[in-house]
Amino acid sequence: MAFLTVIQEHFWGFFRATGLTLQLTAVSLALAVVIGLLFAFLKLSNNRVANVVADAYIGLTRGLPLIVQLMFLYFGISSIVVLSSFWAGSLALAFHAGGYVAEIFRGAIQNIDRGQTEAARSLGMSPRKAMRLIVLPQAFRRAIPSLGNQFIIGLKDSTLVAYLGVPELFSNAMTAAAANYKPFETYLVAGMYYLVLVVIFTWMVNKLEVRLTPHRQEATR
Amino acid sequence: MSVIDIKGLHKHFGDLHVLKGIDLTVESGEVVVIIGPSGSGKSTLLRCLNFLEYPDEGSVKVNGEIIDPATSDLDKVRRHMGMVFQHFQLFPHKNVLHNVTIAPVNVLGLSQKKANAVARNLLAKVGLPDKEKAWPSQLSGGQKQRVAIARALAMDPDIMLFDEVTSALDPELVNEVLQVMQEMAAGGMTMVAVTHEMGFAREVADRVIMMADGLIIEEGTPKQVFEAPREERTRTFLSQIL
Ligand SMILES: Nc1ncnc2c1ncn2[C@@H]1O[C@H](COP(=O)(O)OP(=O)(O)OP(=O)(O)O)[C@@H](O)[C@H]1O
Ligand SMILES: [Mg+2]
């Protein structure tokens, strides 16, 4: 069977490429969380300039096709600094996901009852402490399902950096398919790798959510 | 010396003139109960005392010092003033012990160990010595409110502010909270409480203040205000809630 032959031939090659896919995803999403948090704060601040900057950034990342952003940033970044395609790709993916993550964090922070901040302030906490100790931990937990979603999207989006020459999983599949004339089977195998990753990932996100939920902390009220 | 001394306090929310010139002095150790119809500005007044709302006009003195929101260190002012809210506002991501210790540790810089000792002592005082490991979601309303009181007391405040702290509770849970408040009062705590619990006001309050339409329209001892109200609006209000 052609399918089994493809698996046999490419199992290890794809397996190693999957490692690169995971690295891309992990690095870009870790960066996206930092970027997202930063822009969420800009968007929530009372400073008009900060609001406009955040809106512009979020609008761009959500408004432009990802492949356009990738190409633009890849060639843009590479023309200024010499970066490996891996890092250029990671940064571009992070830039893109950051806009979505910013909106996730903004929503989660805004959804925490104002009374929580007031209680914290009434205890003498500064606005920063109230944010760091009271609001953010709750917002973060509430954001986990949406973040998990975004992470799965990020994993799938990472396929596009194949076009930047990063030899990740999808890129390997393209090369293999071109060489073995069995595109259907080859992409089927690659697809299975992605599916397995998504399943593992979903499981981990669920675990994390439960872990961060001290005794199903429902409403405070 | 008076803990709170406010003169000519005004507060607007947009076009809405909520407080229209409040004068109020609260002496150390005094228990003041504020009553009045919904929307009369009771909560706003209380929130102006610890600057959760900024007064538009008038002067607020805390412990003899004039506080100006523009220049004073309000975080520092609030350290000396505890507040308990109608809806508890316990921190759901912290267990009971950490709800009580989070401010002493992070604001006052107490060691966790020392804060734990303070907290355990207070939790025993509010009748919850065995709940320190519980999560807020596992407590009844009355228990939550008692934790909230312990949390405020952990900052060792000079004054405690209560905003209708029993009105979100099931009737059978009201007394356990009022009892804790009564013990605090007996211990000499300075308190300002918005409440419609007349039994509590009668027994514990040194002074009852009746607010209507952004003004203090009448004040006196509980006996004076409840048994011989001078103002028609006080009489109407009392007949509605009794
Ligand atoms: N943050 C705010 N923004 C706008 N209006 C407000 C705000 N807070 C209070 N108000 C208004 O100010 C008025 C007084 O409100 P306040 O909460 O002080 O009344 P209250 O006497 O505590 O009433 P209740 O018994 O219902 O708690 C009300 O009309 C209320 O709608
Ligand atoms: Mg009120």
Side-chain angles (χ1 to χ4, degrees), chain B residues 3-239:
Chain B
V3 182
I4 298 277
D5 185 5
I6 63 182
K7 291 219 162 55
L9 183 78
H10 286 260
K11 176 70 188 174
H12 301 77
F13 290 114
D15 289 339
L16 195 65
H17 197 175
V18 179
L19 298 179
K20 303 176 178 168
I22 302 276
D23 299 322
L24 174 69
T25 307
V26 182
E27 299 298 333
S28 180
E30 200 179 11
V31 177
V32 176
V33 160
I34 302 177
I35 60 172
S38 180
S40 55
K42 306 178 298 291
S43 297
T44 306
L45 172 59
L46 218 55
R47 293 160 59 82
C48 281
L49 295 183
N50 70 349
F51 298 92
L52 286 182
E53 303 288 356
Y54 295 172
D56 297 326
E57 232 182 275
S59 72
V60 180
K61 271 195 211 168
V62 178
N63 287 326
E65 195 181 328
I66 291 201
I67 308 299
D68 176 359
T71 55
S72 304
D73 182 352
L74 296 181
D75 296 335
K76 213 162 175 179
V77 174
R78 292 196 194 97
R79 281 182 213 170
H80 304 288
M81 313 178 88
M83 188 169 219
V84 186
F85 302 85
Q86 182 174 6
H87 294 292
F88 326 123
Q89 300 298 351
L90 292 185
F91 304 132
H93 59 305
K94 300 277 172 195
N95 68 19
V96 165
L97 186 69
H98 286 132
N99 262 274
V100 181
T101 59
I102 189 164
V105 169
N106 290 283
V107 177
L108 300 180
L110 251 61
S111 68
Q112 185 67 47
K113 205 172 150 203
K114 206 159 179 189
N116 285 351
V118 172
R120 290 194 175 110
N121 187 13
L122 288 169
L123 286 172
K125 260 192 192 155
V126 299
L128 297 168
D130 47 355
K131 290 287 185 200
E132 66 171 69
K133 294 232 166 65
W135 296 94
S137 58
Q138 298 170 312
L139 302 177
S140 73
Q143 292 172 331
K144 281 183 199 171
Q145 202 57 301
R146 285 184 281 151
V147 173
I149 291 173
R151 178 177 72 179
L153 288 175
M155 294 295 286
D156 193 20
D158 300 329
I159 181 169
M160 287 283 290
L161 311 172
F162 299 86
D163 193 358
E164 303 206 42
V165 298
T166 57
S167 57
L169 299 179
D170 292 336
E172 74 271 17
L173 302 177
V174 167
N175 274 330
E176 61 190 58
V177 174
L178 291 180
Q179 200 183 335
V180 168
M181 290 169 65
Q182 183 156 11
E183 281 159 18
M184 274 166 65
M189 176 60 76
T190 312
M191 293 165 52
V192 180
V194 174
T195 179
H196 294 154
E197 292 295 333
M198 291 304 142
F200 172 83
R202 241 180 245 276
E203 274 188 53
V204 180
D206 298 303
R207 189 152 45 113
V208 173
I209 285 176
M210 167 74 192
M211 281 185 73
D213 201 19
L215 285 167
I216 294 176
I217 61 164
E218 176 160 8
E219 64 180 299
T221 63
K223 211 171 148 85
Q224 281 166 349
V225 175
F226 294 148
E227 286 167 23
R230 278 175 282 117
E231 294 286 328
E232 181 55 40
R233 276 185 291 178
T234 312
R235 274 193 287 275
T236 316
F237 175 72
L238 288 173
S239 72

Side-chain angles (χ1 to χ4, degrees), chain A residues 11-27 86 90 155 158 166-170 172 193-194 197:
Chain A
F11 184 84
W12 286 111
F14 280 14
F15 194 81
R16 275 192 300 276
T18 301
L20 200 54
T21 285
L22 280 176
Q23 282 174 43
L24 266 171
T25 310
V27 168
F86 174 84
S90 296
L155 171 69
S158 73
V166 182
E168 44 69 82
L169 179 53
F170 183 66
N172 262 255
Y193 267 97
Y194 281 110
L197 290 183

Side-chain angles (χ1 to χ4, degrees), chain A residues 147-158:
Chain A
L147 282 178
N149 233 351
Q150 191 57 45
F151 285 12
I152 287 168
I153 293 171
L155 171 69
K156 294 187 290 182
D157 282 350
S158 73

